[in-house]
Amino acid sequence: MRYFIETLIYLFLDISGINTLFRYLNRNKIIILCYHGICDDDFDLLKGYDDRHIPKSLFRKQLSYLKGKKYSFTTLSEAMDMLNHRKKIRNIVVLSFDDGFRNVVENAYPIMQKYHAKGCFYLIGDLIGTSKPVWTDYVETLVRNAENVTFGFSYRGENCSYNLTTKASYEKAMKDIKARLRLLSDKEKNEVLRQFQNDKTDSVPKEFRMSDWAQIQGLDKDILEVGSHTSTHPDCIRLSSDEEFDYELKYSKAKIERMVGYRTDHFNYPAGAFDERVIRQVEAAGYKTAVSLIPGFNDSKTDPFCLKRIYVNENFLFFKASVSGSYFFMKKVLRKFLKPSHYQAIFKHADSPYV
């Protein structure tokens, strides 16, 4: 029912001409699209669970749509130069990819070349060139590979147990475990994860595999430049010491710059988590920008350490509504008329995979 109502709203915005109106109203702002991976079309492991890996046929369709609507693509460095020097902005789009997945290089990059698209590829420094998945993908793989119907672990002195009998129960367990671990400091989270070091993770899907440095070095920085997504993908708000910040921010920056041979000025907050303290640390580490998961558009008034992005999922009607800006206006209107529970039910997963 939620999906049906959501689809009707997006369809109305599209056929009524409202999307066209808002594309015109927002023509002088910069769009930064938020992707994770671009998967093969037959990859359906995450179907109905989350949309962080977009099929490459849909990615191609999205870029074709943007080109057809006269959008131009720039790297983030080029977009920031426009903002900083108050150059003319007209229908500018920057693609951004979180984590460093191999399928971005293998699937997204060739499509970007075809459509003259540009963007920024945010790398988790310690994972590039390794067989280690992002910790969130690691948790999901552990749960999926659980041979017993019960999956359990120790968490802050209590035993957490999940009965895995249906697809829904597996998905609920994965979401709950990730939510619990995000509440911990990076040190505490790693201690919990060490409980599973002997568990089976030999079947990590290839879509979760990271790029290697040779692939990264083969990217044209004028098409897909790189930025830092920290060294290990912690929740930056939960970092407590200067040493932790130095490792996640300064070391990742230095390592990436050493491997690609050029300066990287762009940072990406893992899971969109940041506060004023984190912003100060990011700026002190030498970055010039940082992208968030706050939805919206960017102009000369936008804080460069709080750049807004539009999260991309598999709903093409949502894509058209969000890049036009009609989606954000419609949300504000409906918030005034719908009960909070109904509002949340409709828009719970639209803006970000972490909401």
Side-chain angles (χ1 to χ4, degrees):
M1 185 62 177
R2 178 192 67 81
Y3 179 79
F4 178 72
I5 295 174
E6 190 178 4
T7 299
L8 283 180
I9 293 172
Y10 299 149
L11 184 60
F12 170 74
L13 294 173
D14 194 37
I15 65 177
S16 65
I18 295 176
N19 282 347
T20 302
L21 171 63
F22 276 86
R23 282 199 305 272
Y24 177 78
L25 294 176
N26 291 307
R27 67 193 184 282
N28 297 324
K29 297 178 182 179
I30 290 175
I31 298 171
I32 304 176
L33 296 179
C34 174
Y35 293 92
H36 282 76
I38 306 299
C39 62
D40 292 337
D41 288 340
D42 59 358
F43 180 71
D44 60 2
L45 183 65
L46 301 176
K47 203 75 173 179
Y49 174 62
D50 75 21
D51 298 329
R52 67 182 182 273
H53 289 267
I54 301 295
K56 60 184 180 182
S57 61
L58 178 57
F59 180 66
R60 186 181 297 110
K61 183 178 180 180
Q62 292 167 347
L63 298 195
S64 177
Y65 172 80
L66 293 171
K67 291 291 286 188
K69 298 301 180 183
K70 308 302 181 184
Y71 285 92
S72 299
F73 298 95
T74 71
T75 63
L76 186 57
S77 294
E78 290 171 336
M80 293 309 300
D81 181 68
M82 291 179 179
L83 291 178
N84 293 335
H85 294 91
R86 298 187 178 276
K87 296 180 180 179
K88 182 178 180 181
I89 293 171
R90 183 62 58 91
N91 296 331
I92 297 297
V93 177
V94 179
L95 308 184
S96 69
F97 302 89
D98 294 13
D99 299 335
F101 291 108
R102 178 184 294 260
N103 62 24
V104 171
V105 178
E106 295 176 344
N107 291 338
Y109 187 66
I111 298 172
M112 290 175 65
Q113 291 176 300
K114 178 180 178 180
Y115 287 95
H116 305 289
K118 298 182 179 184
C120 189
F121 195 17
Y122 292 99
L123 311 178
I124 304 173
D126 282 4
L127 298 188
I128 301 301
T130 75
S131 59
K132 299 177 182 177
V134 186
W135 72 265
T136 49
D137 292 336
Y138 175 66
V139 168
E140 292 182 6
T141 302
L142 286 169
V143 175
R144 289 194 188 96
N145 291 352
E147 296 179 344
N148 300 318
V149 294
T150 299
F151 183 87
F153 65 99
S154 177
Y155 176 86
R156 288 184 166 175
E158 65 173 298
N159 292 321
C160 297
S161 181
Y162 303 87
N163 292 320
L164 306 177
T165 55
T166 64
K167 180 182 178 181
S169 65
Y170 275 82
E171 292 178 353
K172 182 179 180 181
M174 288 186 284
K175 290 179 179 179
D176 187 68
I177 294 169
K178 290 188 296 181
R180 286 174 178 267
L181 294 181
R182 285 195 177 101
L183 297 176
L184 303 178
S185 68
D186 202 44
K187 181 179 179 181
E188 291 174 313
K189 179 189 71 184
N190 291 333
E191 289 175 354
V192 172
L193 292 176
R194 273 194 286 271
Q195 297 177 48
F196 310 119
Q197 60 186 357
N198 294 322
D199 288 17
K200 288 177 59 179
T201 56
D202 53 350
S203 58
V204 174
K206 73 180 183 69
E207 304 294 349
F208 296 168
R209 296 174 187 168
M210 291 292 148
S211 308
D212 59 43
W213 286 112
Q215 290 178 310
I216 301 298
Q217 291 161 355
L219 299 173
D220 183 345
K221 68 181 178 67
D222 293 327
I223 298 175
L224 189 59
E225 63 186 339
V226 298
S228 172
H229 201 27
T230 71
S231 291
T232 67
H233 202 269
D235 183 328
C236 289
I237 290 178
R238 303 190 186 282
L239 299 177
S240 58
S241 68
D242 288 341
E243 290 76 14
E244 289 177 316
F245 274 112
D246 284 350
Y247 187 76
E248 298 296 343
L249 306 184
K250 292 182 179 180
Y251 177 76
S252 65
K253 186 178 191 297
K255 180 178 182 178
I256 292 170
E257 290 177 342
R258 183 174 70 253
M259 296 303 295
V260 300
Y262 62 86
R263 180 184 175 90
T264 176
D265 294 322
H266 310 303
F267 185 75
N268 182 335
Y269 304 109
F274 69 97
D275 56 19
E276 289 299 324
R277 182 177 64 103
V278 174
I279 291 176
R280 289 195 298 271
Q281 291 281 357
V282 170
E283 191 169 7
Y287 298 97
K288 295 183 179 179
T289 75
V291 291
S292 71
L293 286 174
I294 298 172
F297 298 84
N298 302 279
D299 56 25
S300 60
K301 298 178 182 178
T302 306
D303 184 338
F305 291 95
C306 191
L307 293 173
K308 300 171 184 174
R309 293 194 292 173
I310 295 174
Y311 174 64
V312 181
N313 62 27
E314 292 193 25
N315 188 325
F316 188 58
L317 287 172
F318 166 74
F319 177 82
K320 292 195 281 187
S322 59
V323 297
S324 75
S326 68
Y327 165 74
F328 304 110
F329 175 79
M330 176 266 301
K331 277 186 67 178
K332 291 180 180 179
V333 172
L334 292 183
R335 185 188 289 271
K336 296 179 180 179
F337 296 101
L338 294 179
K339 293 180 180 180
S341 58
H342 294 165
Y343 177 86
Q344 288 296 328
I346 294 174
F347 300 112
K348 183 177 181 182
H349 301 294
D351 291 335
S352 162
Y354 304 105
V355 175

